[in-house]
Amino acid sequence: MERLSGTSILPDTFEGTRDDIVSQMGLIWGQIKAPLIVPLLQLAVVLCLIMSLMLFIERVYMGIVIVLVKLFGQKPEKRYKWEPIRDDVELGNLAYPMVLVQIPMYNEREVYQLSIGAACGLSWPSDRIIVQVLDDSTDPTIKDLVELECQRWASKGINIKYEIRDNRNGYKAGALKEGMKRSYVKDCDYVAIFDADFQPEPDFLWRTIPFLVHNSELGLVQARWKFVNSDECLMTRMQEMSLDYHFTVEQEVGSSTYAFFGFNGTAGVWRIAALNEAGGWKDRTTVEDMDLAVRASLKGWKFVYLSNLKVKNELPSTLKAYRYQQHRWSCGPANLFRKMVMEIIKNKKVTTWKKVHVIYSFFFVRKIVAHIITFIFYCIVLPATVIVPEVQVPKWGAVYIPSIITLLNAVGTPRSLHLIVFWILFENVMSLHRTKATIIGLLETSRVNEWVVTEKLGDALKGKASKTPKKPRFKIGERLHLLELGVGVYLFFCGCYDVLFGKNHFFIYLFVQAIAFFIMGFGYVGTFVPNS
């Protein structure tokens, strides 16, 4: 009976099969490792080190410039002529330029009252300002609410126009373009643009318009964003760190050196003549604001950034909304670079140095290299060297350069310096989607023109908090993100391999980064609104 026992035969069979498979895989790995894997990984390491140096030099350069600007640079009011617009007895209110204020909207249930109220509250002669609400909402209830809000302000004497379209062609760019076609816009000299969650202070126009009135070469005045919900959750704190660097360093450096930077799409004032000369709004990419800024710059127009003028707005606090936003912000610039690189090279109105700045620094390093190197190097190539010890990454490339880049980034948000490790892990995870979106933009494949409006919750959470808590209901696809989970498994495997066989001692980083991918892969980041 012992000889015929299945309990002894079955395990031996499986064990033999398992040993055969493992030995075959080991044999295949040994045959392809030296002639194929090692050279390819070595090439990947070299390319990644080159891109790391490019990003490092760019960050150090901007760091040096911003220090010089803060120590010796003149404020915008000194670099350009600025004086308040004064009353004229003879002209009366005609001494003030006509200003159009545009508010593009799309199903903005939670924030429409705040944005319309803030725009209608701007301090400017009432007969020299037009508030234009561009409502693309598909929800009839929201449309009715927005229209009623506009009527309420109109009854108070505000010159407010409620405009709707029969379609959403061109999304935000299409709405803004359609709004500029209205007959009353011909009387306007400048246009201020605010997204639906932005709340400018009453003196916004008094502080921006004089730059355009007294400096005919200026086409754009851009204000800084101030985040009202940055402390809502850890994810919004991470966003604040990234965006504060953009506003504290990138925008300031561009304004101070080349009088060029990317328009942020909101909280800015355009000279309508500059907007029209650049060709108006185009919907060929998902970054219509950047597209307009580059085209206007190639026409010779200059931009000024006001770091001390802040406009309140809201950060996306749900992972779903943030992922869509980052896809648009990463895919759009890459696609715009593809479409405009030859146009920039052939342009004869700007200097060679400005062309180099736009092509190399503004587009290639910041919008393409920065995303790709973060994911490919630190999440794919560096972990792979644990499994292939024949390939070594120098310590300056694996440790010193990323550490310096990280510290330079922390300058933008000193209050969050203690969260720098969480920021690194968070940015590495998000670089997966930014890299994917960048490649989509460069290759112009599917989803290249995908536009999903970033959901802002406004007071939604406060309202829900006052009600009886409901058990969150969600679809598996909304909370499980397979890409993050897949990369997390890869990093965890590399970490285990390093513990057992490796000599690099990368396993601490690999395990911690794997945990970050798992946390985001299971959707446990940001806020969660039941039934949202």
PDB file of all heavy atoms in Angstrom, residues 4 37 45 66 68 85 112 115 184 192 263 265 285 301 311 320 340 364 386 388 401-402 432 501 520 526:
ATOM      1  N   LEU A   4       1.963   2.187  -3.443  1.00  0.00           N
ATOM      2  CA  LEU A   4       0.940   2.737  -4.324  1.00  0.00           C
ATOM      3  C   LEU A   4       0.330   4.028  -3.788  1.00  0.00           C
ATOM      4  O   LEU A   4      -0.594   4.555  -4.361  1.00  0.00           O
ATOM      5  CB  LEU A   4      -0.190   1.695  -4.507  1.00  0.00           C
ATOM      6  CG  LEU A   4       0.230   0.384  -5.152  1.00  0.00           C
ATOM      7  CD1 LEU A   4      -0.968  -0.589  -5.167  1.00  0.00           C
ATOM      8  CD2 LEU A   4       0.752   0.620  -6.561  1.00  0.00           C
ATOM      9  N   ILE A  37      20.925  41.074 -22.134  1.00  0.00           N
ATOM     10  CA  ILE A  37      20.423  41.839 -20.993  1.00  0.00           C
ATOM     11  C   ILE A  37      21.461  42.836 -20.483  1.00  0.00           C
ATOM     12  O   ILE A  37      21.147  44.023 -20.264  1.00  0.00           O
ATOM     13  CB  ILE A  37      19.984  40.908 -19.845  1.00  0.00           C
ATOM     14  CG1 ILE A  37      18.908  39.926 -20.336  1.00  0.00           C
ATOM     15  CG2 ILE A  37      19.473  41.715 -18.667  1.00  0.00           C
ATOM     16  CD1 ILE A  37      17.643  40.601 -20.828  1.00  0.00           C
ATOM     17  N   VAL A  45      21.378  52.546 -18.448  1.00  0.00           N
ATOM     18  CA  VAL A  45      22.008  53.288 -17.350  1.00  0.00           C
ATOM     19  C   VAL A  45      22.714  54.534 -17.875  1.00  0.00           C
ATOM     20  O   VAL A  45      22.593  55.627 -17.306  1.00  0.00           O
ATOM     21  CB  VAL A  45      23.005  52.383 -16.587  1.00  0.00           C
ATOM     22  CG1 VAL A  45      23.871  53.218 -15.644  1.00  0.00           C
ATOM     23  CG2 VAL A  45      22.256  51.323 -15.798  1.00  0.00           C
ATOM     24  N   ILE A  66      17.398  82.110  -9.404  1.00  0.00           N
ATOM     25  CA  ILE A  66      16.387  82.585  -8.452  1.00  0.00           C
ATOM     26  C   ILE A  66      17.040  83.242  -7.248  1.00  0.00           C
ATOM     27  O   ILE A  66      16.518  84.226  -6.696  1.00  0.00           O
ATOM     28  CB  ILE A  66      15.446  81.426  -8.014  1.00  0.00           C
ATOM     29  CG1 ILE A  66      14.143  82.000  -7.425  1.00  0.00           C
ATOM     30  CG2 ILE A  66      16.089  80.516  -7.013  1.00  0.00           C
ATOM     31  CD1 ILE A  66      13.304  82.761  -8.390  1.00  0.00           C
ATOM     32  N   LEU A  68      19.918  84.905  -7.372  1.00  0.00           N
ATOM     33  CA  LEU A  68      20.349  86.216  -7.869  1.00  0.00           C
ATOM     34  C   LEU A  68      19.163  87.172  -8.013  1.00  0.00           C
ATOM     35  O   LEU A  68      19.270  88.361  -7.712  1.00  0.00           O
ATOM     36  CB  LEU A  68      21.062  86.052  -9.215  1.00  0.00           C
ATOM     37  CG  LEU A  68      22.388  85.285  -9.188  1.00  0.00           C
ATOM     38  CD1 LEU A  68      22.936  85.118 -10.600  1.00  0.00           C
ATOM     39  CD2 LEU A  68      23.409  86.014  -8.315  1.00  0.00           C
ATOM     40  N   ILE A  85      -3.748 103.661 -12.435  1.00  0.00           N
ATOM     41  CA  ILE A  85      -4.553 104.396 -13.407  1.00  0.00           C
ATOM     42  C   ILE A  85      -5.362 105.445 -12.649  1.00  0.00           C
ATOM     43  O   ILE A  85      -6.065 105.142 -11.687  1.00  0.00           O
ATOM     44  CB  ILE A  85      -5.485 103.429 -14.172  1.00  0.00           C
ATOM     45  CG1 ILE A  85      -4.651 102.362 -14.875  1.00  0.00           C
ATOM     46  CG2 ILE A  85      -6.344 104.189 -15.166  1.00  0.00           C
ATOM     47  CD1 ILE A  85      -5.480 101.274 -15.534  1.00  0.00           C
ATOM     48  N   TYR A 112     -19.323  77.088  -8.387  1.00  0.00           N
ATOM     49  CA  TYR A 112     -19.715  78.125  -9.330  1.00  0.00           C
ATOM     50  C   TYR A 112     -20.096  79.436  -8.640  1.00  0.00           C
ATOM     51  O   TYR A 112     -19.800  80.526  -9.142  1.00  0.00           O
ATOM     52  CB  TYR A 112     -20.883  77.630 -10.213  1.00  0.00           C
ATOM     53  CG  TYR A 112     -22.220  77.557  -9.517  1.00  0.00           C
ATOM     54  CD1 TYR A 112     -23.113  78.626  -9.560  1.00  0.00           C
ATOM     55  CD2 TYR A 112     -22.603  76.419  -8.816  1.00  0.00           C
ATOM     56  CE1 TYR A 112     -24.342  78.560  -8.918  1.00  0.00           C
ATOM     57  CE2 TYR A 112     -23.815  76.345  -8.183  1.00  0.00           C
ATOM     58  CZ  TYR A 112     -24.692  77.418  -8.226  1.00  0.00           C
ATOM     59  OH  TYR A 112     -25.894  77.362  -7.588  1.00  0.00           O
ATOM     60  N   SER A 115     -16.806  81.398  -7.613  1.00  0.00           N
ATOM     61  CA  SER A 115     -16.066  82.000  -8.719  1.00  0.00           C
ATOM     62  C   SER A 115     -16.825  83.173  -9.336  1.00  0.00           C
ATOM     63  O   SER A 115     -16.243  84.222  -9.615  1.00  0.00           O
ATOM     64  CB  SER A 115     -15.777  80.946  -9.794  1.00  0.00           C
ATOM     65  OG  SER A 115     -16.980  80.369 -10.273  1.00  0.00           O
ATOM     66  N   TYR A 184     -19.804  92.280 -28.138  1.00  0.00           N
ATOM     67  CA  TYR A 184     -19.393  93.216 -27.093  1.00  0.00           C
ATOM     68  C   TYR A 184     -17.907  93.103 -26.746  1.00  0.00           C
ATOM     69  O   TYR A 184     -17.335  93.999 -26.118  1.00  0.00           O
ATOM     70  CB  TYR A 184     -20.252  93.038 -25.834  1.00  0.00           C
ATOM     71  CG  TYR A 184     -20.323  91.617 -25.320  1.00  0.00           C
ATOM     72  CD1 TYR A 184     -19.327  91.071 -24.520  1.00  0.00           C
ATOM     73  CD2 TYR A 184     -21.426  90.815 -25.631  1.00  0.00           C
ATOM     74  CE1 TYR A 184     -19.416  89.776 -24.054  1.00  0.00           C
ATOM     75  CE2 TYR A 184     -21.523  89.515 -25.157  1.00  0.00           C
ATOM     76  CZ  TYR A 184     -20.513  88.994 -24.371  1.00  0.00           C
ATOM     77  OH  TYR A 184     -20.601  87.715 -23.898  1.00  0.00           O
ATOM     78  N   ALA A 192      -9.293  88.974 -18.659  1.00  0.00           N
ATOM     79  CA  ALA A 192      -8.831  88.229 -17.489  1.00  0.00           C
ATOM     80  C   ALA A 192      -9.553  86.888 -17.468  1.00  0.00           C
ATOM     81  O   ALA A 192     -10.767  86.830 -17.699  1.00  0.00           O
ATOM     82  CB  ALA A 192      -9.116  89.012 -16.209  1.00  0.00           C
ATOM     83  N   PHE A 263       1.784  80.099 -19.825  1.00  0.00           N
ATOM     84  CA  PHE A 263       0.557  80.614 -19.211  1.00  0.00           C
ATOM     85  C   PHE A 263      -0.121  79.481 -18.463  1.00  0.00           C
ATOM     86  O   PHE A 263      -0.248  78.372 -18.977  1.00  0.00           O
ATOM     87  CB  PHE A 263      -0.357  81.176 -20.295  1.00  0.00           C
ATOM     88  CG  PHE A 263      -1.708  81.619 -19.814  1.00  0.00           C
ATOM     89  CD1 PHE A 263      -1.854  82.341 -18.643  1.00  0.00           C
ATOM     90  CD2 PHE A 263      -2.857  81.310 -20.537  1.00  0.00           C
ATOM     91  CE1 PHE A 263      -3.100  82.746 -18.179  1.00  0.00           C
ATOM     92  CE2 PHE A 263      -4.106  81.715 -20.106  1.00  0.00           C
ATOM     93  CZ  PHE A 263      -4.223  82.430 -18.921  1.00  0.00           C
ATOM     94  N   GLY A 265      -3.172  79.146 -17.687  1.00  0.00           N
ATOM     95  CA  GLY A 265      -4.545  78.896 -18.113  1.00  0.00           C
ATOM     96  C   GLY A 265      -5.588  79.617 -17.304  1.00  0.00           C
ATOM     97  O   GLY A 265      -6.776  79.597 -17.657  1.00  0.00           O
ATOM     98  N   THR A 285      -4.216  70.672 -28.837  1.00  0.00           N
ATOM     99  CA  THR A 285      -3.681  69.882 -27.720  1.00  0.00           C
ATOM    100  C   THR A 285      -4.555  70.139 -26.496  1.00  0.00           C
ATOM    101  O   THR A 285      -5.459  70.965 -26.524  1.00  0.00           O
ATOM    102  CB  THR A 285      -2.224  70.267 -27.381  1.00  0.00           C
ATOM    103  OG1 THR A 285      -2.203  71.589 -26.817  1.00  0.00           O
ATOM    104  CG2 THR A 285      -1.341  70.230 -28.621  1.00  0.00           C
ATOM    105  N   TRP A 301       5.939  89.013 -28.152  1.00  0.00           N
ATOM    106  CA  TRP A 301       5.310  89.536 -26.945  1.00  0.00           C
ATOM    107  C   TRP A 301       6.045  89.047 -25.703  1.00  0.00           C
ATOM    108  O   TRP A 301       6.545  87.927 -25.660  1.00  0.00           O
ATOM    109  CB  TRP A 301       3.850  89.114 -26.873  1.00  0.00           C
ATOM    110  CG  TRP A 301       2.990  89.760 -27.918  1.00  0.00           C
ATOM    111  CD1 TRP A 301       2.588  89.230 -29.107  1.00  0.00           C
ATOM    112  CD2 TRP A 301       2.446  91.081 -27.876  1.00  0.00           C
ATOM    113  NE1 TRP A 301       1.828  90.128 -29.812  1.00  0.00           N
ATOM    114  CE2 TRP A 301       1.715  91.289 -29.079  1.00  0.00           C
ATOM    115  CE3 TRP A 301       2.496  92.126 -26.944  1.00  0.00           C
ATOM    116  CZ2 TRP A 301       1.055  92.473 -29.366  1.00  0.00           C
ATOM    117  CZ3 TRP A 301       1.841  93.310 -27.224  1.00  0.00           C
ATOM    118  CH2 TRP A 301       1.129  93.479 -28.419  1.00  0.00           C
ATOM    119  N   VAL A 311      -3.919  84.228  -6.123  1.00  0.00           N
ATOM    120  CA  VAL A 311      -5.347  83.986  -6.359  1.00  0.00           C
ATOM    121  C   VAL A 311      -5.719  82.643  -5.748  1.00  0.00           C
ATOM    122  O   VAL A 311      -5.101  81.617  -6.056  1.00  0.00           O
ATOM    123  CB  VAL A 311      -5.680  84.005  -7.867  1.00  0.00           C
ATOM    124  CG1 VAL A 311      -7.161  83.759  -8.085  1.00  0.00           C
ATOM    125  CG2 VAL A 311      -5.268  85.339  -8.484  1.00  0.00           C
ATOM    126  N   LYS A 320      -8.487  59.992  -8.366  1.00  0.00           N
ATOM    127  CA  LYS A 320      -9.029  59.902  -9.720  1.00  0.00           C
ATOM    128  C   LYS A 320      -8.905  61.236 -10.450  1.00  0.00           C
ATOM    129  O   LYS A 320      -8.434  61.298 -11.592  1.00  0.00           O
ATOM    130  CB  LYS A 320     -10.497  59.468  -9.659  1.00  0.00           C
ATOM    131  CG  LYS A 320     -11.169  59.343 -11.023  1.00  0.00           C
ATOM    132  CD  LYS A 320     -12.620  58.911 -10.868  1.00  0.00           C
ATOM    133  CE  LYS A 320     -13.314  58.823 -12.223  1.00  0.00           C
ATOM    134  NZ  LYS A 320     -14.733  58.418 -12.084  1.00  0.00           N
ATOM    135  N   MET A 340       5.204  71.873 -32.490  1.00  0.00           N
ATOM    136  CA  MET A 340       5.741  73.223 -32.641  1.00  0.00           C
ATOM    137  C   MET A 340       7.248  73.319 -32.753  1.00  0.00           C
ATOM    138  O   MET A 340       7.776  74.413 -32.998  1.00  0.00           O
ATOM    139  CB  MET A 340       5.289  74.093 -31.456  1.00  0.00           C
ATOM    140  CG  MET A 340       3.815  74.433 -31.435  1.00  0.00           C
ATOM    141  SD  MET A 340       3.461  75.910 -30.457  1.00  0.00           S
ATOM    142  CE  MET A 340       4.184  77.191 -31.491  1.00  0.00           C
ATOM    143  N   PHE A 364      11.944  70.283 -23.525  1.00  0.00           N
ATOM    144  CA  PHE A 364      12.609  68.982 -23.505  1.00  0.00           C
ATOM    145  C   PHE A 364      12.975  68.525 -22.094  1.00  0.00           C
ATOM    146  O   PHE A 364      12.642  67.404 -21.684  1.00  0.00           O
ATOM    147  CB  PHE A 364      13.853  69.016 -24.386  1.00  0.00           C
ATOM    148  CG  PHE A 364      14.490  67.670 -24.579  1.00  0.00           C
ATOM    149  CD1 PHE A 364      13.796  66.656 -25.226  1.00  0.00           C
ATOM    150  CD2 PHE A 364      15.760  67.398 -24.089  1.00  0.00           C
ATOM    151  CE1 PHE A 364      14.371  65.398 -25.394  1.00  0.00           C
ATOM    152  CE2 PHE A 364      16.333  66.156 -24.258  1.00  0.00           C
ATOM    153  CZ  PHE A 364      15.641  65.151 -24.910  1.00  0.00           C
ATOM    154  N   VAL A 386      19.960  45.380  -9.485  1.00  0.00           N
ATOM    155  CA  VAL A 386      20.063  44.442  -8.357  1.00  0.00           C
ATOM    156  C   VAL A 386      20.098  43.013  -8.880  1.00  0.00           C
ATOM    157  O   VAL A 386      20.847  42.162  -8.387  1.00  0.00           O
ATOM    158  CB  VAL A 386      18.875  44.644  -7.389  1.00  0.00           C
ATOM    159  CG1 VAL A 386      18.846  43.534  -6.349  1.00  0.00           C
ATOM    160  CG2 VAL A 386      18.945  46.007  -6.724  1.00  0.00           C
ATOM    161  N   VAL A 388      20.882  42.204 -12.013  1.00  0.00           N
ATOM    162  CA  VAL A 388      22.024  42.081 -12.945  1.00  0.00           C
ATOM    163  C   VAL A 388      23.209  42.833 -12.332  1.00  0.00           C
ATOM    164  O   VAL A 388      23.490  43.980 -12.692  1.00  0.00           O
ATOM    165  CB  VAL A 388      21.675  42.659 -14.326  1.00  0.00           C
ATOM    166  CG1 VAL A 388      22.792  42.378 -15.330  1.00  0.00           C
ATOM    167  CG2 VAL A 388      20.360  42.077 -14.830  1.00  0.00           C
ATOM    168  N   ILE A 401      23.025  63.108  -7.040  1.00  0.00           N
ATOM    169  CA  ILE A 401      22.241  63.973  -7.932  1.00  0.00           C
ATOM    170  C   ILE A 401      20.763  64.018  -7.541  1.00  0.00           C
ATOM    171  O   ILE A 401      20.199  65.106  -7.399  1.00  0.00           O
ATOM    172  CB  ILE A 401      22.427  63.540  -9.405  1.00  0.00           C
ATOM    173  CG1 ILE A 401      23.773  64.046  -9.920  1.00  0.00           C
ATOM    174  CG2 ILE A 401      21.284  64.056 -10.276  1.00  0.00           C
ATOM    175  CD1 ILE A 401      24.040  63.745 -11.376  1.00  0.00           C
ATOM    176  N   PRO A 402      20.097  62.873  -7.350  1.00  0.00           N
ATOM    177  CA  PRO A 402      18.684  62.960  -6.944  1.00  0.00           C
ATOM    178  C   PRO A 402      18.485  63.647  -5.603  1.00  0.00           C
ATOM    179  O   PRO A 402      17.473  64.332  -5.401  1.00  0.00           O
ATOM    180  CB  PRO A 402      18.228  61.492  -6.896  1.00  0.00           C
ATOM    181  CG  PRO A 402      19.467  60.682  -6.870  1.00  0.00           C
ATOM    182  CD  PRO A 402      20.498  61.471  -7.595  1.00  0.00           C
ATOM    183  N   LEU A 432       4.940  57.344 -13.103  1.00  0.00           N
ATOM    184  CA  LEU A 432       4.467  56.263 -13.965  1.00  0.00           C
ATOM    185  C   LEU A 432       3.443  56.792 -14.956  1.00  0.00           C
ATOM    186  O   LEU A 432       3.547  56.550 -16.167  1.00  0.00           O
ATOM    187  CB  LEU A 432       3.866  55.149 -13.102  1.00  0.00           C
ATOM    188  CG  LEU A 432       2.956  54.136 -13.796  1.00  0.00           C
ATOM    189  CD1 LEU A 432       3.737  53.348 -14.830  1.00  0.00           C
ATOM    190  CD2 LEU A 432       2.319  53.212 -12.772  1.00  0.00           C
ATOM    191  N   PHE A 501      20.495  37.924  -2.338  1.00  0.00           N
ATOM    192  CA  PHE A 501      21.691  37.707  -3.161  1.00  0.00           C
ATOM    193  C   PHE A 501      22.485  38.981  -3.476  1.00  0.00           C
ATOM    194  O   PHE A 501      23.611  38.904  -3.933  1.00  0.00           O
ATOM    195  CB  PHE A 501      21.298  37.061  -4.505  1.00  0.00           C
ATOM    196  CG  PHE A 501      20.432  35.854  -4.356  1.00  0.00           C
ATOM    197  CD1 PHE A 501      19.076  35.897  -4.683  1.00  0.00           C
ATOM    198  CD2 PHE A 501      20.949  34.659  -3.874  1.00  0.00           C
ATOM    199  CE1 PHE A 501      18.268  34.790  -4.553  1.00  0.00           C
ATOM    200  CE2 PHE A 501      20.149  33.530  -3.742  1.00  0.00           C
ATOM    201  CZ  PHE A 501      18.804  33.601  -4.074  1.00  0.00           C
ATOM    202  N   MET A 520      -1.023  53.378  -3.387  1.00  0.00           N
ATOM    203  CA  MET A 520      -1.738  54.084  -4.448  1.00  0.00           C
ATOM    204  C   MET A 520      -2.435  53.099  -5.380  1.00  0.00           C
ATOM    205  O   MET A 520      -3.475  53.413  -5.970  1.00  0.00           O
ATOM    206  CB  MET A 520      -0.782  54.992  -5.215  1.00  0.00           C
ATOM    207  CG  MET A 520      -0.243  56.131  -4.358  1.00  0.00           C
ATOM    208  SD  MET A 520       0.717  57.355  -5.256  1.00  0.00           S
ATOM    209  CE  MET A 520      -0.545  58.174  -6.209  1.00  0.00           C
ATOM    210  N   GLY A 526      -5.389  60.325  -0.902  1.00  0.00           N
ATOM    211  CA  GLY A 526      -6.344  61.376  -1.196  1.00  0.00           C
ATOM    212  C   GLY A 526      -7.612  61.207  -0.382  1.00  0.00           C
ATOM    213  O   GLY A 526      -7.697  60.376   0.526  1.00  0.00           O
TER     214      GLY A 526
END
